[in-house]
């Protein structure tokens, strides 16, 4: 359904179908959207926000057998660098002006966003279920994500003093999903609208299932019509052929 022109990203039909009503979207869809948002930032000439993919937070988790992180810090930095430098449009852009770093991750089938807000000196937890057991269940993992992120960011902010010891934790409280399957859609919305403070796009009517379903439809269209999608023309031709066939059937039925 989606293949980038440089061949570096692929979305299969199954992943796009799971955006549909009543389904839980997958990590590769979230990663695709993060890539889109990064391209949008690049077009502005300066990165104010940067979106990492879901696997990076997962690599901070501890191995069940050894109790050690899945990736060593050095390997983690290499992976972050590769995530950035393999994109031609990102190679010459400076990250010293970036004030928001987004790390989506999945814990027990639920997506949470950790946002490192340089300007506000906060580690922001964007959780659409606002888990009561966050301190016990989610915060240890969130802390590891943050610590890995800080160690990497120190290499990016060599010319800029960031007082990490002053950072505080902030939990978003005004947004709650109305069901058990829409957390991925909330992650997409955090990417689109979160800039370190509440705004109407995040809070107004977002508890309504019908509006969430409209967002799902828009997301499907965004994937198909993305200018980077090599499959775009093929899918549009198939859709046109299908619509013409349906119209002909209606015509024939009307003549009977």
């Amino acid at each position: 359904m989606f293949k980038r022109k440089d061949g570096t990203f692929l979305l299969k039909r199954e992943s796009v179908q799971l955006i549909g009503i009543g389904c839980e979207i997958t990590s590769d869809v979230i990663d695709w959207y993060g890539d889109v948002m990064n391209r949008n930032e690049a077009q502005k000439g300066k990165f104010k926000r940067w979106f990492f993919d879901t696997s990076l937070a997962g690599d901070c988790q501890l191995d069940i057998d050894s109790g050690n992180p899945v990736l060593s810090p050095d390997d983690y930095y290499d992976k972050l660098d590769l995530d950035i430098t393999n994109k031609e449009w990102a190679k010459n852009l400076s990250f010293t002006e970036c004030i928001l770093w987004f790390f989506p991750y999945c814990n027990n089938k639920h997506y949470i966003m950790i946002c490192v807000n340089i300007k506000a000196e906060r580690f922001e937890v964007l959780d659409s279920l606002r888990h009561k057991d966050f301190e016990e269940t989610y915060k240890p993992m969130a802390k590891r994500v943050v610590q890995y992120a800080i160690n990497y960011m120190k290499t990016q902010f060599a010319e800029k003093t960031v007082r990490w010891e002053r950072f505080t934790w902030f939990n978003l409280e005004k947004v709650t999903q109305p069901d058990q399957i829409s957390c991925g859609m909330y992650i997409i919305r955090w990417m689109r609208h979160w800039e370190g403070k509440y705004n109407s796009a995040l809070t107004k009517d977002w508890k309504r299932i019908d509006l969430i379903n409209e967002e799902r439809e828009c997301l499907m269209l965004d994937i198909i019509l993305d200018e980077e999608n090599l499959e775009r023309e093929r899918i549009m031709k198939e859709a046109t052929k299908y619509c013409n066939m349906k119209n002909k059937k209606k015509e024939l039925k009307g003549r009977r």
Side-chain angles (χ1 to χ4, degrees):
M1 292 292 281
F2 181 92
K3 189 175 182 180
R4 267 179 52 169
K5 292 178 180 178
D6 61 7
T8 59
F9 201 93
L10 179 69
L11 271 180
K12 294 183 179 179
R13 184 179 298 272
E14 292 84 355
S15 296
V16 178
Q17 287 175 333
L18 286 174
I19 300 172
I21 296 172
C23 300
E24 298 180 55
I25 70 173
T26 56
S27 292
D28 51 353
V29 171
I30 292 172
D31 294 341
W32 167 82
Y33 197 76
D35 187 75
V36 170
M37 295 300 294
N38 287 335
R39 277 189 273 138
N40 291 342
E41 290 290 307
Q43 290 173 0
K44 300 173 186 176
K46 284 185 179 180
F47 283 115
K48 293 293 184 183
R49 306 191 301 161
W50 180 262
F51 305 84
F52 288 102
D53 68 51
T54 52
S55 69
L56 293 173
D59 290 333
C60 297
Q61 297 183 59
L62 299 180
D63 181 73
I64 295 174
D65 296 324
S66 67
N68 297 319
V70 175
L71 282 185
S72 69
D74 287 342
D75 289 340
Y76 181 77
Y77 306 152
D78 289 342
K79 188 171 182 178
L80 288 180
D81 278 328
L82 181 62
D83 185 50
I84 295 168
T85 58
N86 70 359
K87 299 174 177 64
E88 190 65 35
W89 44 264
K91 287 180 179 178
N92 299 318
L93 292 172
S94 170
F95 286 85
T96 55
E97 298 302 316
C98 189
I99 59 173
L100 290 168
W101 300 66
F102 291 82
F103 294 85
Y105 78 91
C106 187
N107 192 323
N108 195 24
K109 297 184 178 181
H110 177 60
Y111 285 101
I112 285 179
M113 180 74 81
I114 301 297
C115 181
V116 179
N117 190 328
I118 304 294
K119 186 176 181 180
E121 297 184 333
R122 295 191 310 202
F123 304 125
E124 298 167 340
V125 180
L126 310 180
D127 176 9
S128 55
L129 284 181
R130 292 188 292 167
H131 281 86
K132 293 179 181 178
D133 59 348
F134 175 79
E135 289 292 327
E136 180 181 344
T137 305
Y138 289 89
K139 196 167 185 178
M141 173 61 182
K143 281 185 172 180
R144 283 199 294 276
V145 172
V146 164
Q147 190 55 58
Y148 270 59
I150 288 174
N151 291 340
Y152 175 74
M153 288 178 195
K154 285 178 179 177
T155 69
Q156 295 292 321
F157 291 98
E159 301 173 3
K160 186 175 182 179
T161 301
V162 179
R163 298 180 180 178
W164 298 106
E165 70 281 359
R166 294 175 51 176
F167 278 53
T168 58
W169 285 86
F170 167 79
N171 293 335
L172 185 71
E173 296 180 349
K174 292 187 179 180
V175 181
T176 308
Q177 68 188 69
D179 57 23
Q180 296 297 312
I181 61 171
S182 294
C183 55
M185 290 304 301
Y186 276 77
I187 292 294
I188 298 292
R189 183 148 279 241
W190 305 139
M191 292 185 191
R192 190 178 300 168
H193 297 292
W194 182 255
E195 295 184 353
K197 60 183 179 181
Y198 295 103
N199 58 61
S200 59
L202 285 169
T203 57
K204 187 178 180 181
D205 292 331
W206 188 230
K207 291 183 180 181
R208 286 172 48 187
I209 290 290
D210 60 324
L211 293 182
I212 296 176
N213 290 338
E214 284 181 14
E215 291 274 340
R216 288 175 179 273
E217 294 172 359
C218 290
L219 183 58
M220 282 187 179
L221 287 175
D222 286 343
I223 290 173
I224 293 170
L225 300 178
D226 191 309
E227 61 184 16
E228 287 286 313
N229 189 6
L230 273 179
E231 301 294 323
R232 173 179 171 175
E233 295 301 320
R234 177 187 63 79
I235 294 171
M236 291 177 68
K237 284 180 181 178
E238 286 184 8
T240 301
K241 185 178 178 181
Y242 176 75
C243 289
N244 289 338
M245 183 180 68
K246 284 196 74 174
N247 289 336
K248 283 182 180 178
K249 283 185 177 180
K250 283 183 180 178
E251 244 179 71
L252 291 171
K253 192 174 181 181
R255 291 174 184 173
R256 290 175 185 172

